[in-house]
Amino acid sequence: MEPPVSPSPSHFVRIEGLKKRFGDFVALNGVSFDVDDGSTLALLGPSGCGKTTMLRCIAGLETAEEGYIEIGGKVVFDSSSRVNLMPEQRELGIVFQSYAVWPHMTVAENVGFPLKVRRTPKAEIRERVTRILKLVGLGDWYDRPATQLSGGQQQRVALARALVHEPRLVLFDEALSNLDAQLREQMRMELKILQDRLNFTAIYVTHDQAEAFALAEHVVVMNRGHIETVGLPRDVFHRPQTPFVARFLGLNVHSGTVLSVGRVPDVANHEPLDADDVYAQVRLPDGETLWGRIGQDSPPRPGDDVLVCLRREHLGLSAPSVSGGIATQALAGRNGFIGTIRASSFLGLTEEYVIDVSGGELRAIQPVSGLDAGDPVAVTVRPCDCIILSEHRTLKATQRADLKKAG
Ligand SMILES: Nc1ncnc2c1ncn2[C@@H]1O[C@H](COP(=O)(O)OP(=O)(O)OP(=O)(O)O)[C@@H](O)[C@H]1O
Ligand SMILES: [Mg+2]
């Protein structure tokens, strides 16, 4: 039997090599990460990737077959030394997507329940419930029946109930998903303020990338039970490291073949982000070429098949001139290629275009341009915004360091 890993004081939560199966199905396949004290970590990923299972294992509502979980310096689960604390011994709060507000109780009874089960004296329950209800904006609702609450108010009750015993770790599972867009944004801001005041550490599960980026100091992207990437929101957003992350973030992903690797020659719209970035010229399926930034370590070699990833908002569209030789003229020496508008949809300040290009379709979002279905279009992109990834990932050194740090 391996000795238990010694608790580390630098992180509030530490998870190592967590494995969980349901029958033959592997829901968590050796997941490791850390969460810094007082910070928020977002677990992001598509439906079924294992986010809820992860939270349930941390909470003690599910038992992993293998791994180690430490919360606030206390080992709460360790398969090698058979430690497995009960949920109530893990001293955390949970907010689920379904508010689970009990209809037969008043607002105060709902919120005070975690204190009641901990046998807190009545006067203290009253004081704490009053204080937390005020904090979540339900100060006047103390004695009202929970059935009178709107969806947003029920969500606040669920939040108050998760926070009332002042846990140092709070787990959120799609906690705001049932709210309308406006209320969601408001609650997001309020959560940040609450966290600053109460100073808890949070693990926030969502499949909404905007929510993850807005709330968290670190983002973990999960894919089929493993961690696909981990990093700062800015890095995960601007520098997706794997095709899975690029697709999950909604980038256009197209195949191409590397022609050359090196310095970008005279391309009009070349504005390097970072002097250390390496660029490659890629041939697209119809023979057009494009310069892009290599997103992973160990640059691909000429002849290698790669994926070209383009964010919809980074594409510039312009109508080529109507006279002959439209294609090259329209690009005017810029990095880009020619396509045909298939459809457009009005989004308010912007319009989304579906563009037929060689090898498939492409989506672009930009201010209303007057382009119509059937129009030829020049699609331009700065080489730094065109991310080149290999299907077989080799992580950048920075990300390897992150992953190592994360577990
Ligand atoms: N109790 C269970 N028995 C069998 N399979 C389960 C059980 N719980 C979860 N799974 C499976 O494990 C996988 C991960 O489920 P999980 O609920 O963790 O996903 P998720 O990332 O939270 O998805 P969503 O975004 O839809 O909530 C799914 O394929 C699910 O069917
Ligand atoms: Mg879930």
Side-chain angles (χ1 to χ4, degrees):
M1 191 186 295
E2 285 185 20
V5 187
S6 64
S8 77
S10 54
H11 306 290
F12 194 73
V13 180
R14 187 160 156 224
I15 289 159
E16 289 206 355
L18 218 58
K19 288 193 179 169
K20 173 69 191 167
R21 285 172 175 277
F22 294 109
D24 288 341
F25 181 79
V26 181
L28 295 177
N29 195 5
V31 177
S32 306
F33 60 84
D34 293 335
V35 193
D36 291 342
D37 197 1
S39 76
T40 298
L41 177 119
L43 277 182
L44 189 60
S47 187
C49 71
K51 305 181 295 293
T52 296
T53 306
M54 186 73 229
L55 280 199
R56 289 177 60 81
C57 286
I58 297 171
L61 300 169
E62 205 77 73
T63 304
E65 284 86 45
E66 268 180 56
Y68 172 90
I69 305 172
E70 179 192 307
I71 300 173
K74 183 158 108 182
V75 180
V76 300
F77 177 75
D78 185 359
S79 57
S80 63
S81 56
R82 298 182 185 276
V83 174
N84 188 14
L85 297 194
M86 301 293 287
E88 56 274 18
Q89 295 173 298
R90 299 192 181 196
E91 292 168 40
L92 41 80
I94 312 178
V95 191
F96 294 108
Q97 178 175 4
S98 58
Y99 319 123
V101 167
W102 296 299
H104 58 285
M105 292 186 188
T106 65
V107 167
E109 285 164 349
N110 263 283
V111 172
F113 191 76
L115 297 176
K116 197 174 165 193
V117 297
R118 286 174 172 77
R119 301 183 192 286
T120 309
K122 275 193 178 154
E124 190 183 336
I125 294 183
R126 187 165 188 90
E127 188 209 313
R128 283 206 192 184
V129 170
T130 305
R131 192 169 59 220
I132 197 77
L133 281 177
K134 222 168 152 190
L135 266 182
V136 299
L138 289 176
D140 297 336
W141 283 78
Y142 192 94
D143 283 322
R144 306 271 283 272
T147 43
Q148 291 181 4
L149 297 165
S150 71
Q153 288 167 328
Q154 288 186 46
Q155 189 62 75
R156 281 162 205 264
V157 168
L159 183 62
R161 191 174 53 202
L163 298 175
V164 73
H165 61 293
E166 295 179 11
R168 291 185 61 204
L169 174 63
V170 186
L171 310 178
F172 296 89
D173 194 354
E174 305 279 5
L176 306 183
S177 300
N178 284 348
L179 305 179
D180 65 54
Q182 208 179 346
L183 198 52
R184 239 172 124 150
E185 225 162 276
Q186 187 188 336
M187 287 292 289
R188 238 188 248 166
M189 303 278 275
E190 289 176 13
L191 257 186
K192 277 273 196 201
I193 296 168
L194 272 178
Q195 192 177 14
D196 281 349
R197 284 204 197 159
L198 302 174
N199 196 29
F200 54 83
T201 302
I203 301 181
Y204 195 95
V205 159
T206 177
H207 57 260
D208 178 340
Q209 45 171 301
E211 197 156 281
F213 294 140
L215 276 171
E217 278 85 10
H218 282 93
V219 174
V220 165
V221 181
M222 286 183 68
N223 173 20
R224 295 185 183 183
H226 73 265
I227 290 184
E228 185 77 18
T229 201
V230 54
L232 302 172
R234 212 168 278 276
D235 290 341
V236 172
F237 183 81
H238 287 299
R239 294 178 177 269
Q241 303 257 339
T242 70
F244 173 86
V245 176
R247 288 191 182 99
F248 181 72
L249 295 178
L251 275 69
N252 295 286
V253 179
H254 286 260
S255 54
T257 309
V258 173
L259 287 176
S260 63
V261 176
R263 207 176 62 81
V264 181
D266 300 331
V267 168
N269 54 345
H270 180 41
E271 300 159 37
L273 287 182
D274 184 332
D276 292 337
D277 283 333
V278 181
Y279 286 82
Q281 189 183 29
V282 172
R283 190 178 62 236
L284 301 173
D286 74 340
E288 294 200 72
T289 64
L290 201 59
W291 280 92
R293 174 169 59 83
I294 293 169
Q296 297 155 318
D297 259 357
S298 51
R301 283 190 290 258
D304 283 357
D305 290 332
V306 286
L307 295 166
V308 176
C309 307
L310 303 163
R311 196 178 293 281
R312 285 177 277 188
E313 293 83 353
H314 282 158
L315 300 174
L317 305 185
S318 54
S321 64
V322 275
S323 52
I326 50 173
T328 41
Q329 240 179 35
L331 292 171
R334 287 172 296 166
N335 197 47
F337 46 89
I338 298 295
T340 307
I341 302 278
R342 190 201 302 164
S344 65
S345 52
F346 178 62
L347 302 177
L349 288 177
T350 55
E351 218 159 359
E352 177 160 21
Y353 297 89
V354 182
I355 302 158
D356 285 322
V357 291
S358 65
E361 68 168 43
L362 195 71
R363 285 170 187 266
I365 291 179
Q366 70 159 43
V368 177
S369 67
L371 289 161
D372 281 322
D375 287 348
V377 64
V379 183
T380 55
V381 58
R382 298 189 306 171
C384 63
D385 291 330
C386 170
I387 304 164
I388 295 173
L389 299 175
S390 299
E391 192 72 74
H392 306 292
R393 64 187 183 143
T394 14
L395 301 179
K396 264 195 177 289
T398 46
Q399 204 206 8
R400 279 202 301 270
D402 258 354
L403 267 176
K404 206 168 157 207
K405 186 174 151 256

